[in-house]
Amino acid sequence: MSHPIKILAIYKFVDQPDFESLKAPLAEFCCGRGIRGTLLVAPEGINGTVAGTPGAIDELVGWLSDGNVFGGRFRGAEIKYSFADSQPFYRMKVRLKPEIVTLRAPEANPGRQVGTYVDPEDWNDLIDQDDVVVIDTRNDYEVALGTFRKAQDPHTSSFTEFKDYVASELDPQKHKKVAMFCTGGIRCEKASSYMLAQGFEEVFHLKGGILNYLEKVPQDKSLWDGECFVFDERVSVRHGLEIGDAQLCRACRQPLTPADREREAFIEGVQCHHCAGEENASKRAAAAERQRQIELAAARGEAHIGADVRKAAEERRLANTARREADRARNRKG
């Protein structure tokens, strides 16, 4: 089955003191081809996720690899593709940042040193070893949706807190083997560089991240439980990179499972149990007004910005759920 939209997740750590000069040509190239999403450009490299027609995305990848403006700096970047029936983004943004993944630790430089990459096919054997500490380097709201069995949750709300976790919970003299993972590979690559700088001897990280694992490792052999949060209107994916069941709270942006949406505090488009307190009243008011505008636009037969994207994502989610239920029914009948 072919899909009209191709999604590109890309990153590469590379020194580029001229990073500011890249914003305009990147934006012009992508906007001229109907590509949407976000690209972050920093002195340490590039990172982002964008989507467009397969031809446009292939053209972008070729240009990043061989375009004269880049001088080959992005050749060999970590690239991950997925597909969708509709555009998961509704604008194109190129942002200049101090770091492509913020840790605020100058000693963490993947361009100088990085841990050992582990292919998805070899990941299970590694994390099954008793002397390996397995760490989920993502934030707490991401871990809540799903993680690997045996993985430690650092309970961080931002990546900068990872340094405190390492200082308080890990010891280079005691923890000789550490295996880390994240969504697409970029965060744990930087984390591995940081831990090597702190004196840890053997540091491993999952090549291509959870997304690569969910695509390549069959579900019946998987050590992954739950869904993987992604930073677009799909919200989450499961094995085979099929869209998951999670949805975002439009007030606080926390991902919500179906069980979360059954809670008494949940009001569609307005609030969830995470933000129902009085301290979040302004967020709820803004979300309520946004929801009101969406409903008014729908009543007029118009599309509110972003609403068409969310509707398409929800339609895909419902279609996938119906298909899975039909498959289970056929299996029960034998």
Side-chain angles (χ1 to χ4, degrees), residues 115-187:
T116 302
Y117 295 98
V118 181
D119 290 327
E121 297 84 353
D122 301 320
W123 182 249
N124 287 357
D125 290 338
L126 173 66
I127 66 175
D128 260 345
Q129 297 176 27
D130 292 334
D131 60 342
V132 174
V133 179
V134 186
I135 302 172
D136 193 330
T137 65
R138 301 172 303 152
N139 294 333
D140 47 13
Y141 65 90
E142 300 170 79
V143 180
L145 279 186
T147 192
F148 283 105
R149 297 166 209 171
K150 290 179 56 179
Q152 292 189 16
D153 177 6
H155 297 287
T156 57
S157 59
S158 70
F159 189 38
T160 56
E161 297 173 6
F162 182 75
K163 295 173 293 186
D164 297 330
Y165 164 76
V166 173
S168 63
E169 301 296 331
L170 301 175
D171 182 351
Q173 301 304 315
K174 178 182 178 182
H175 304 106
K176 299 294 186 179
K177 293 183 180 180
V178 178
M180 298 181 295
F181 62 92
C182 58
T183 305
I186 183 172
R187 180 176 292 203

Side-chain angles (χ1 to χ4, degrees), residues 5-9 34-39 48-52 57 82 84 86-93 230-235 253 305-310 312-313 316:
I5 297 296
K6 190 172 187 177
I7 303 170
L8 165 69
I35 295 172
R36 302 178 190 175
T38 301
L39 291 174
T49 304
V50 294
I57 293 299
S82 56
S86 60
Q87 174 63 257
F89 305 106
Y90 49 87
R91 61 172 65 92
M92 182 66 215
K93 295 176 284 187
V230 291
F231 295 88
D232 59 54
E233 287 294 335
R234 293 175 297 171
V235 185
R253 308 296 293 175
I305 185 168
D308 54 341
V309 177
R310 293 196 292 273
R316 293 197 303 274

Side-chain angles (χ1 to χ4, degrees), residues 11 78 80 182-188 206-212:
Y11 79 85
E78 184 69 32
K80 188 80 187 76
C182 58
T183 305
I186 183 172
R187 180 176 292 203
C188 52
L206 177 59
K207 184 173 177 59
I210 301 163
L211 298 180
N212 199 24

Side-chain angles (χ1 to χ4, degrees), residues 35 38 40 51 74 76-77 83 108 121 132 156 169 181 193 198 210 243 278 287 302 313 321-322:
I35 295 172
T38 301
L40 306 180
F74 298 138
F83 296 87
E121 297 84 353
V132 174
T156 57
E169 301 296 331
F181 62 92
S193 181
Q198 302 307 307
I210 301 163
I243 193 167
E278 189 59 36
E302 301 171 354
T321 299

